[in-house]
Amino acid sequence: QAGTLVNGTVALSEDQIEVRVSFVNASTGERFGGTRLARQRAELFELRDDLAEEVAVFLRGMLGEEIALLERQAGAENVEAWELMQRASDLQEQAGALMETGDIDGAMQRILAADSLLAAAEEMAPEWVEPTVQRGWLDYRNSRFTGFEDRSAADRWIGEGMVHAETAVRLDSTNSEAMELRATLQYWRYLLNLGGGEADRLVGRAEADYRESVRQNPQQASAWSSLSHLLANQDRLAEAKVAASRSYEADPYLRNAHLTLWRLFYISFDLGDGVESRRWCEEGRRRFPDRPRFRQCGLMVQWLPDSQPDIDLAWQLADEFVALSSPGDSTFNRHKGLVLVALALARAGETDSARVVAERARAGPDIDPTRNVAYWEAILRSMIGDMDEAVVQWNVHAAANPDVTLDEGIWYVEALRQDPRLGAQ
């Protein structure tokens, strides 16, 4: 009565062992997924460990999807409502795939169709909290589509999501996902600078809801991960790293592991911890080789204080960063990759080349609405002593992000903080 069979073959050459693994649906005989590993013959024990890890990671991810399905089914009493929610879930998956290809219109059509199905499920089972929570997450997803490019539209979607979140919390005040949804919508509104004079209160409420979510369910890995992001954004790096570690520990089925690994990398990087930065970057690239952010981290570790930059590798990583990006992100990531290469050049002492590449990297608000490239150029200019230009680029970034500050404890902003023109920010 096994659900999945693990098949494999071993090929031996004079100096290398190669293992190929595939997975088989035990009920249908259909093959799905697979991997290939190769090691030198002298590394047989390492190959054995790698094989066990690769197979475990795949199976844990698959089990995670099944367990999520069972968790949702446990709260359902109306079969028709349950079926509608499953159809809505399928449409959401289709929307995600279309988004990856750049088909925004097709994705939005499926999201709207999913919302209609969830609304029907709500009517059939008004006491069941899950359809309401999922409608809120759809609103959040819609707000992410518009995001920084159309803040007013994003704010409308956030408002609709908050209605669903508040309804869900009223239905079940102990529901950890409903609390996480409300926290995420509030925090996203804060990140979009839509809080106005209420910004501090907004982020405070978001933190309180995230903490309540993980109190209700310590295994709510995505809430731990988002709490980590919030704390890091508040210059509370030690707390942020603890939350990210809790997320990683709480995510045995890898539902959210790629985000958690990124958080662990970024916080370690901000703290200037080269050993931990490289550890989490390498782990992310090994587990999620198709995620562009794990090429970005490879670029970033090139300019850590203890690094010996490999400029050829930096250019290769920049190309891969773009190649792995979705169509909607590739143009921006091309510019971002260039400025990160410029930082590696600066660390290698090639300051003239760094300046040239940084100028090539510049992007206008149509490509870079948050002026993130300008932020990294400000860091670069401060590293090589071009403080006048560093201030100019920082001000470009700050104009698009009024609440931005130069946080204490982040090693790469210290030169900017020491400039009397910026030190008070």
Side-chain angles (χ1 to χ4, degrees):
Q1 297 180 345
T4 302
L5 303 179
V6 183
N7 282 347
T9 61
V10 180
L12 178 65
S13 65
E14 290 185 3
D15 59 352
Q16 191 175 63
I17 302 173
E18 179 183 278
V19 178
R20 292 182 180 272
V21 179
S22 62
F23 304 92
V24 181
N25 184 315
S27 300
T28 66
E30 178 185 2
R31 291 181 180 271
F32 60 98
T35 189
R36 170 189 172 277
L37 300 94
R39 283 274 195 168
Q40 297 298 309
R41 291 185 67 171
E43 299 174 327
L44 175 62
F45 294 144
E46 290 85 348
L47 175 62
R48 180 188 61 186
D49 293 342
D50 288 349
L51 177 62
E53 178 72 12
E54 290 289 332
V55 172
V57 164
F58 178 86
L59 292 175
R60 286 164 66 190
M62 188 175 66
L63 281 170
E65 296 174 7
E66 295 297 322
I67 288 171
L69 191 67
L70 291 172
E71 286 174 348
R72 290 177 179 170
Q73 191 173 14
E77 296 181 1
N78 185 304
V79 173
E80 288 183 74
W82 161 250
E83 290 176 347
L84 287 174
M85 212 181 86
Q86 291 311 112
R87 287 166 58 194
S89 179
D90 289 342
L91 286 169
Q92 289 184 67
E93 288 188 14
Q94 293 173 30
L98 289 170
M99 188 59 62
E100 289 290 324
T101 67
D103 185 356
I104 306 298
D105 290 340
M108 286 298 296
Q109 288 174 9
R110 282 158 179 79
I111 285 174
L112 292 173
D115 185 67
S116 296
L117 292 173
L118 290 169
E122 279 183 315
E123 290 184 12
M124 288 181 181
E127 300 303 315
W128 187 27
V129 70
E130 189 65 30
T132 305
V133 171
Q134 293 308 312
R135 290 191 76 188
W137 284 120
L138 280 179
D139 291 328
Y140 170 68
R141 184 181 235 178
N142 287 336
S143 75
R144 297 285 302 196
F145 289 163
T146 52
F148 292 98
E149 296 180 7
D150 188 346
R151 284 179 169 86
S152 61
D155 199 31
R156 288 195 299 273
W157 284 116
I158 291 170
E160 292 191 24
M162 283 297 292
V163 171
H164 294 306
E166 296 288 4
T167 301
V169 171
R170 283 196 300 272
L171 283 170
D172 183 359
S173 61
T174 66
N175 187 287
S176 60
E177 192 169 1
M179 203 64 70
E180 180 187 353
L181 169 64
R182 190 169 72 176
T184 300
L185 289 164
Q186 292 175 109
Y187 184 42
W188 179 226
R189 178 170 273 159
Y190 166 81
L191 291 174
L192 288 172
N193 299 315
L194 294 170
E198 296 271 308
D200 289 343
R201 188 160 167 248
L202 198 61
V203 76
R205 289 200 304 260
E207 180 181 348
D209 279 348
Y210 278 132
R211 292 195 181 279
E212 179 61 17
S213 174
V214 297
R215 189 186 74 82
Q216 294 289 350
N217 178 16
Q219 299 304 113
Q220 192 78 9
S222 53
W224 278 117
S225 182
S226 296
L227 176 61
S228 171
H229 188 281
L230 182 151
L231 293 168
N233 217 22
Q234 297 294 302
D235 193 24
R236 295 155 64 184
L237 297 182
E239 291 178 78
K241 191 165 185 181
V242 170
S245 298
R246 289 293 301 270
S247 175
Y248 200 57
E249 293 164 4
D251 195 4
Y253 301 109
L254 308 179
R255 296 185 206 173
N256 212 44
H258 64 99
L259 288 177
T260 304
L261 286 167
W262 178 249
R263 300 262 191 277
L264 286 164
F265 160 75
Y266 216 114
I267 294 165
S268 300
F269 184 83
D270 280 354
L271 291 168
D273 187 336
V275 172
E276 285 286 284
S277 297
R278 292 181 180 89
R279 171 194 172 191
W280 295 117
C281 183
E282 290 168 5
E283 179 73 358
R285 184 170 179 176
R286 185 182 69 80
R287 289 197 174 188
F288 304 100
D290 296 332
R291 297 273 180 178
R293 57 167 49 106
F294 294 116
R295 297 304 191 277
Q296 178 183 334
C297 69
L299 279 166
M300 292 171 70
V301 298
Q302 293 276 320
W303 50 278
L304 278 161
D306 64 348
S307 68
Q308 297 293 326
D310 181 337
I311 302 305
D312 289 339
L313 176 60
W315 283 113
Q316 176 187 330
L317 290 169
D319 289 341
E320 292 174 359
F321 180 47
V322 176
L324 291 171
S325 300
S326 67
D329 293 333
S330 60
T331 300
F332 167 71
N333 284 350
R334 182 174 294 107
H335 290 268
K336 187 174 185 178
L338 283 172
V339 76
L340 295 177
V341 170
L343 280 154
L345 287 164
R347 178 63 67 194
E350 300 181 25
T351 54
D352 289 340
S353 295
R355 292 186 181 101
V356 171
V357 174
E359 290 180 8
R360 283 174 52 200
R362 289 177 181 172
D366 55 326
I367 294 173
D368 181 18
T370 64
R371 310 318 296 266
N372 184 260
V373 174
Y375 171 83
W376 289 117
E377 185 176 349
I379 302 302
L380 164 69
R381 296 289 180 170
S382 69
M383 282 176 59
I384 61 179
D386 294 349
M387 292 309 301
D388 288 344
E389 189 59 35
V391 171
V392 169
Q393 294 301 320
W394 174 261
N395 287 335
V396 169
H397 175 69
N401 303 273
D403 295 328
V404 71
T405 59
L406 287 163
D407 297 331
E408 294 184 32
I410 298 178
W411 64 274
Y412 51 84
V413 303
E414 280 307 305
L416 283 170
R417 283 177 51 81
Q418 291 169 15
D419 190 287
R421 293 165 290 184
L422 299 177
Q425 293 193 26

